[in-house]
Amino acid sequence: MTAAIERLVILGGGTAGWMTAAALSRLLPPDIKIRLVESEQIGTVGVGEATIPHLRQFNTLLGIDENAFVQATGATYKLAIEFNGWGDAGSRYLHPFSGFGDDLNGIDFHHYFLRARKHRPDLTLDDFSLASWAARSGRFGPPRPEFPTGYGYAFHLDAGRYARFLRDYAEARGVERIEGRVAQVEQDPDSGHIRRLHLESGQAVEGQLFVDCSGFRALLIGDTLGVGYQSWRHWLPCNRAVALGSPAMAEPPPYTRVTASGAGWIWRIPLQHRTGNGHVYSSDHLSDEQACEQLRIAIGKPAITEPNFIRFEPGYRARSWDKNCVAVGLSSGFLEPLESTSIYLIQMAILKLVTYFPNARCEGPGQDAFNRWMALEYGRVRDFLILHYHANRRPEAFWQQCREMTIPDELARKLALFKEAAAVEHYEHGLFGLPSWLAVYLGQGVTPDGCDPRVAGHPPHKVAAHLQGMADTLKRCAESLPPHAEAVVRGVTGSPAPAELSLYGGRYGR
Amino acid sequence: MVADTALKHIAVVGAGAVAHAAAFTLARALKPSGVEVTLVVTPAAPGDQQQVEISQPALHELIGIWGLPEPALLKACDGLYGLGFEYQPLGREGFFLPFGRHGIDPAPASFEQGFFKCHPGAIAQRYSEHFLATQAARRGQFDFPVDDPRSIKSTLRYGLHLDHSRLCDTLADYGERLGLRVCKASLDDVERGVDERIAAVRLGNGERLVADFYIDATGAESRLLGEALDVGFEDWEHWLPWTVQSQLSLPPEAQPQPRARLCQTDFGWERRAGLRSCERIDALGTAQTDWVGWCRAYGQADEALRALRPGRREVFWRGNCLALGDAAGSATPLVLSELHWACKALLLWLELYPDKRLSNALQGEYNRRAGAMLAAIRDFHLAHRLAETGVTLEQRDAWPASLRFRLSLFETQGRLWPEDEEAVPQEAWIILLTGLGVQPARYDRLLDALPDGQLADLHRRIQQALDRALATMPTLSKVLARDAG
Ligand SMILES: Cc1cc2nc3c(=O)[nH]c(=O)nc-3n(C[C@H](O)[C@H](O)[C@H](O)COP(=O)(O)OP(=O)(O)OC[C@H]3O[C@@H](n4cnc5c(N)ncnc54)[C@H](O)[C@@H]3O)c2cc1C
């Protein structure tokens, strides 16, 4: 048997670095020495504040108390993402963390919805999501057993405070933090494995396994090991962002808002103590000044921070684990935050690293399994993001180009399936199940030719009447929840809702 | 009311359980939509007579659609309840592969890891002992699962042992009462229309049957999809060498037993499963197997042999024709039966259900997912060849990449790669692989942090909980008697 790993080094103290440190200090045997190198001089990317419900599973795994976490990170709750101006300038829809309606007679709900709309074109999918009703009415509470459906929830959090919170957690569990800037990386001359990080201070940090959380710099996986980066810019045209903070909202809504702009989109993330805003755009269509100016206009209030300009290239590294180096976070790839997936991808990389944790040789089937898994995760999120850009009827040159671009085969196949037969391609692993695809298809005007023939036999007005009853029930349930602002202050009480690796909550049965 | 574009008439063609189950399911599920179903029962081949179905728990999904009371169905089919398979590989200790899951949360590592650590020589046996089903089956006891996650009985799942020909008769009977048209006739000819569609089937009774959609359940011959529509075949015989099946009937065991048995032989595998009135034995081997000798060993004259054809059609659904079971492909019936695969595929088809436009995209999605289902069954069956002493590493190198990767990851890391489509729960893979001698090279190191004796304590507590549940669990005979009463 090859020797076990005893010394692990994490490079980087952003969200990725501290999530990794915290999780490994909990999930690996205590005899493994974990050290984290970060440089205050370089700093972190400073954004990344909207999450999806999977983060609750991460908290549970680490034994983190949810209310304490919400207070420490200035968090608010999140039930959905609101999409404004996607599809066409007037479209507005939610992508909630829940399924839609109840399946009837073993046939998916959305076929009944499509049928009912022949009679009631005013019905929207949101009418059939409890999470959507709660989001729209500014209410929040964890799902209750008496509700007809479950739902998931996530958080908006302050990235800086989150890293600090995890740092305290990790340090309390024995992780050693080393402040300093890496000047040089020493490799084994034969195997090319990384041996030591030499800091500017002259200190050398030796390890057997290195986790590269150095952000876009990708100091180890990219600069040192030369693992290639595959760009997806031909499908995801945005490559810049500017972020600005504004004052906290009096009534922070329990959802993230993303509004399409002429050459990208603008986010709004409500926190307890401030509001995060940003503009993601394509440098081919917009200058940094224009982008920042548009963002200021969209905020409509004076900013409370200086603009933070960020450049990126959408894409990923097919081998995010190479030799004795595992890339986690921005060093492994970047998919824009439209669906708040980056922190989730960090979480999955950590979980898979633990599952396939290597011995001192570091290479083998476990490494392949890790790389395959991350490729699957990145690929599935990618296609879902491309759909948001592709399915539009907006007039601007940027959007026209998105509409006309060649999309990946896998996505083309999914779109054809929905248009021809109102069916959503099924896969078990990775992100985005039927409700999510449905929300975006229908929200952005991808309309199928018909619906399931077994439902097409029912008169639309009868189906609509039945569905109206469903919507009324969901609305009543949502109205029984407390106002979101109150929930944020008081915290969530009662036995915690199940924290599964699911977007839609424990009781979405698919 | 029926939409104009909806299918109005579906014809199912075949002789066996797949055809009957499909026709009955469709008649039931599509009755509210006004679909008419015709079942053409073609003459059974001699080797098909004595087949026994050892169903997986998944069959309940279908029985749910059938709406038939299970005890009555079981009685009509001479059936028993089953909790899993007792394995007896050659030259190795036997083990039990239970249906269901253990239901034990990671503490701190996932449950099987503790056996990798503490019982490296007997993982399958010791791990499997911690399933209620294993222990119940060993004692001839049986009970139904309960819905309460706090009860250890919530981990139970069960299958059924059913006599095929009685199952066919029962479904045809019930079906006719439901409006299913059953027509016994040979299939003389399949007329091909335009666009790779079937125009009609001509039957031995002179009838020319026209339907909107055809289900081909004609077995390996694949008369509609394979022959008439010319869909190619990919052979898997180099992976799954069992191409001949033979079967015998013996007197029943003294007491009915809620398990099937799978014994490795020098030519392949022998399966035994009890029914109420007899015990059925069948064997999977090759053309070289001494079948006469095999029958004589049981004091019986030789029976008709059944040919198996491992492999798959290039597509399973084309135009207005869907092939089910062996007509679509076969991974041999070693553990997961033809009916099991056909049922899963049929449920998928019903989920995607087409109208007369027969969307290509829908066919594509069906073929993609059903293909993954069959590949998953194939991999699980193929893994049984690890029991053969003669399987060399070079041979293994020619196995499908999906299985090779699964094996290498399990051997080196003790982890199972999760596919989008899985044939059996992870637990079953762990028991099969370790039972056939695959040793994970490591276990989860988190276990090293546990105080001495903690794992043994956990295992003892589980054992005590199992003992308590077993103390009040009835025998299978009692359950059957209660069913009757
Ligand atoms: C515009 C934008 C919006 C985003 N929004 C979201 C969102 O809403 N939701 C979401 O989930 N994700 C979002 N993300 C992604 C998210 O911000 C990142 O995934 C997350 O912050 C993790 O970053 P990181 O830790 O990998 O990198 P960073 O935060 O960049 O950290 C890098 C670390 O490496 C250290 N380092 C680098 N070089 C050296 C060196 N030479 N020596 C020593 N230390 C060094 C730095 O000091 C720093 O500590 C967004 C990203 C962008 C660009």
Side-chain angles (χ1 to χ4, degrees), chain B residues 191-199 228-229 317-321 356-358 360 363:
Chain B
E191 282 178 33
R192 190 171 158 161
V194 287
D195 300 347
E196 310 201 299
R197 304 242 171 135
I198 288 171
L229 295 186
W317 172 6
R318 176 172 288 172
N320 62 351
C321 177
K356 280 184 185 158
R357 290 174 297 178
L358 299 168
N360 277 325
Q363 293 179 39

Side-chain angles (χ1 to χ4, degrees), chain B residues 34-72:
Chain B
V35 180
E36 192 191 324
V37 182
T38 303
L39 169 63
V40 177
V41 183
T42 56
D48 289 349
Q49 300 301 341
Q50 297 210 335
Q51 292 234 76
V52 59
E53 174 66 21
I54 310 170
S55 88
Q56 294 283 314
L59 188 68
H60 296 301
E61 236 181 292
L62 214 62
I63 295 178
I65 296 181
W66 293 352
L68 303 179
E70 198 175 271

